[in-house]
């Protein structure tokens, strides 16, 4: 399921809508088109489309990705782990619509026609890991091993929570219990997850000691990741199915790697371009010269024209950083910095004085300035 319509149009809100406005619009439309309430043809598909739009726009990170890349943010690279300038390879199939509607409307709202929230397969939690890279690791890519604590299925009980399975006597295997409260306005009835079986509908004669009956324990895992070339601070990499274990046979969650790149002592990065300051003497600037400069792939010789000024830039096409999405290279810019000497011997001072006697101030910039004196 992947709607091609604009998600904001689906919910009938503007692109600048607040979280509260998005939630309010979703509540209204979801109740209008819920299959239990609306039997008109196409209501169920409309309901799913509304849920898909809300799942993206209600999540700040996914909404940012959608605003920047549109539907492409959730289709490119999803199978291989997905990577991009800020988006994380989210797929519309990842949306757990039933959990969204349960959270908003409450379990059992429609007379128990849906499965109880606790007993259905549930995807494991996603995990965010922040990884620091050197400038070179980010530019050229690398292998990294990360350590992460994950909610994992208990090995001792194979994730069941115990042995000697029985139907829960508290909820009769439904996974949900109904409670009543009598008030001056009448009797109010509510439904919630069964506290005895945690919504599974099953209990065990012998509770697993390793996990205290939860079926899950925290484990530290070592995971090797491949860092693509050209990543930058804030970029994310999705490792599909390597996150926390799911419940009741649900799939594992995903791991999202968010990168932070350290500065380089010489190169400055601006998107996929790099800049380097090149100091030269006033003699080199006046007469011109050749200079050897470092690049990301080795040193090169460049020509400095006579009369070069501080701040002038020389562009070296394709000598920048590889774009991880478009696979094209940025450029390198050499920024000229004419260094004025501060320590001169007598001979050097005499030479500069002789130079000063020539008509150096004939340039138009000097003449324009003197007009206002």
């Amino acid at each position: 399921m992947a709607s091609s319509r604009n998600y904001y149009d689906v919910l009938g809100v503007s692109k600048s809508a607040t979280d509260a406005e998005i939630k309010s619009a979703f509540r209204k439309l979801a109740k209008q088109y819920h299959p239990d309430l609306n039997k008109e043809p196409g209501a169920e598909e409309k309901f799913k489309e509304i849920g898909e739009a809300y799942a993206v726009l209600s999540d700040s990170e996914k909404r940012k990705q959608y605003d920047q890349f549109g539907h492409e943010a959730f289709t490119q690279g999803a199978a291989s782990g997905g990577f991009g300038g800020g988006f994380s390879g989210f797929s519309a199939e990842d949306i757990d619509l039933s959990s969204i509607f349960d959270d908003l409307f409450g379990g059992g709202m429609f007379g128990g026609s849906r499965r109880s929230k606790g007993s259905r397969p549930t995807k494991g939690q996603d995990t965010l890991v922040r990884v620091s890279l050197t400038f070179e690791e980010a530019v050229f890519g690398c292998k990294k091993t990360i350590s992460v604590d994950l909610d994992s299925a208990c090995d001792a009980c194979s994730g069941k929570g115990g042995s000697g399975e029985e139907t829960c006597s508290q909820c009769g295997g439904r996974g949900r219990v109904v409670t009543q409260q009598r008030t001056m306005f009448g009797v109010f009835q509510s439904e919630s997850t069964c506290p005895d079986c945690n919504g599974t509908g099953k209990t065990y004669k012998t509770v697993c000691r390793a996990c205290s009956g939860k079926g899950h324990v925290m484990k530290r895992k070592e995971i090797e990741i491949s860092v693509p070339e050209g990543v930058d601070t804030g970029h994310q990499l999705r490792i599909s199915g390597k996150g926390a274990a799911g419940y009741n046979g649900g799939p594992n969650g995903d791991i999202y790697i968010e990168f932070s790149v350290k500065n380089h002592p010489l190169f400055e990065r601006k998107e996929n371009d790099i800049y380097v300051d090149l100091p030269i003497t006033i003699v080199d600037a006046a007469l011109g010269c050749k200079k050897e400069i470092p690049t990301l792939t080795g040193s090169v010789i460049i020509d400095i024209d006579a009369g070069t000024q501080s701040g002038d830039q020389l562009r070296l096409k394709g000598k920048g950083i590889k774009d991880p999405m478009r696979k094209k290279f940025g450029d390198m810019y050499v920024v000229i910095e004419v260094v004025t000497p501060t320590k001169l011997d007598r001979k050097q001072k005499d030479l500069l004085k002789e130079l000063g006697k020539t008509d150096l101030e004939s340039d138009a910039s000097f003449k324009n300035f003197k007009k206002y004196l």
Side-chain angles (χ1 to χ4, degrees):
M1 175 181 63
S3 171
S4 59
R5 288 184 60 197
N6 183 289
Y7 285 150
Y8 291 98
D9 292 342
V10 170
L11 295 182
V13 297
S14 67
K15 194 172 182 180
S16 60
T18 64
D19 291 345
E21 290 172 337
I22 289 173
K23 187 172 185 178
S24 176
F26 167 69
R27 281 178 177 269
K28 180 179 178 181
L29 292 170
K31 289 180 180 180
Q32 179 181 348
Y33 290 99
H34 195 281
D36 286 352
L37 301 177
N38 191 328
K39 301 301 181 181
E40 295 179 2
E44 184 174 355
E45 286 304 311
K46 179 69 175 178
F47 182 68
K48 292 178 181 179
E49 185 180 48
I50 293 165
E52 179 183 326
Y54 179 73
V56 172
L57 299 185
S58 63
D59 185 296
S60 59
E61 185 61 30
K62 293 186 180 74
R63 183 179 180 182
K64 182 172 66 176
Q65 296 164 12
Y66 178 76
D67 287 347
Q68 186 172 0
F69 299 100
H71 292 282
E72 288 298 311
F74 308 131
T75 58
Q76 293 181 6
S80 60
F83 171 77
F87 71 81
S88 49
F90 169 82
S91 172
E93 280 69 32
D94 293 336
I95 300 170
D96 185 357
L97 290 178
S98 53
S99 67
I100 294 173
F101 301 131
D102 272 353
D103 290 341
L104 284 177
F105 300 129
M109 174 182 173
F110 300 106
S113 61
R114 299 195 307 271
R115 290 180 297 170
S116 70
K117 182 179 179 181
S119 61
R120 67 165 175 264
T122 304
K123 182 182 176 181
Q125 289 281 339
D126 293 338
T127 304
L128 176 65
V129 180
R130 292 182 171 86
V131 174
S132 178
L133 301 174
T134 66
F135 186 87
E136 289 80 3
E137 287 175 332
V139 169
F140 299 111
C142 64
K143 298 282 188 181
K144 282 279 188 180
T145 299
I146 62 172
S147 297
V148 56
D149 293 323
L150 295 173
D151 185 24
S152 307
C154 176
D155 293 330
C157 63
S158 300
K160 293 182 178 180
S163 59
E165 183 179 299
E166 298 177 323
T167 299
C168 178
S169 59
Q170 178 72 10
C171 65
R174 290 183 62 245
R176 310 284 288 181
V177 291
V178 177
T179 57
Q180 292 183 340
Q181 183 178 8
R182 189 177 300 276
T183 72
M184 61 183 295
F185 301 104
V187 177
F188 288 87
Q189 181 172 291
S190 62
E191 186 175 287
S192 59
T193 301
C194 176
D196 286 13
C197 65
N198 293 319
T200 65
K202 303 171 184 177
T203 56
Y204 299 91
K205 291 180 180 179
T206 304
V207 175
C208 177
R209 292 184 179 182
C211 63
S212 301
K214 296 178 181 178
H216 283 222
V217 293
M218 293 300 293
K219 293 181 183 178
R220 170 149 291 206
K221 296 185 177 182
E222 304 287 323
I223 300 174
E224 185 178 75
I225 63 172
S226 296
V227 180
E229 295 178 69
V231 298
D232 201 359
T233 295
H235 282 179
Q236 288 188 348
L237 178 69
R238 177 192 181 198
I239 311 298
S240 180
K242 295 295 185 179
Y247 284 82
N248 302 312
N252 289 354
D254 303 324
I255 294 178
Y256 291 90
I257 311 296
E258 184 171 285
F259 298 109
S260 174
V261 182
K262 298 177 182 178
N263 293 330
H264 191 276
L266 183 64
F267 299 121
E268 180 184 0
R269 178 173 182 172
K270 294 181 181 179
E271 297 183 349
N272 296 318
D273 297 329
I274 60 171
Y275 291 75
V276 62
D277 291 334
L278 174 63
I280 63 174
T281 67
I282 56 175
V283 176
D284 287 340
L287 302 180
C289 63
K290 292 182 179 293
K291 286 288 183 180
E292 182 179 13
I293 63 165
T295 72
L296 296 176
T297 54
S299 297
V300 298
I301 303 295
I302 61 172
D303 292 316
I304 307 296
D305 293 335
T308 293
Q309 305 293 313
S310 273
D312 286 353
Q313 296 184 3
L314 300 177
R315 177 190 177 203
L316 302 183
K317 189 176 181 180
K319 289 292 185 179
I321 298 170
K322 186 177 182 179
D323 187 305
M325 287 296 295
R326 295 179 295 174
K327 309 303 181 184
K328 294 182 179 180
F329 285 85
D331 301 324
M332 178 175 177
Y333 292 88
V334 181
V335 183
I336 303 300
E337 180 185 357
V338 180
V339 179
T340 303
T342 56
K343 295 182 180 180
L344 300 172
D345 57 30
R346 183 184 297 274
K347 183 177 181 181
Q348 291 169 328
K349 289 180 180 179
D350 289 340
L351 288 172
L352 288 176
K353 288 178 180 178
E354 287 298 318
L355 182 62
K357 294 177 181 179
T358 61
D359 192 14
L360 291 175
E361 296 187 6
S362 60
D363 188 90
S365 56
F366 286 100
K367 294 179 179 179
N368 185 56
F369 180 79
K370 289 179 180 179
K371 289 181 181 179
Y372 297 93
L373 296 178

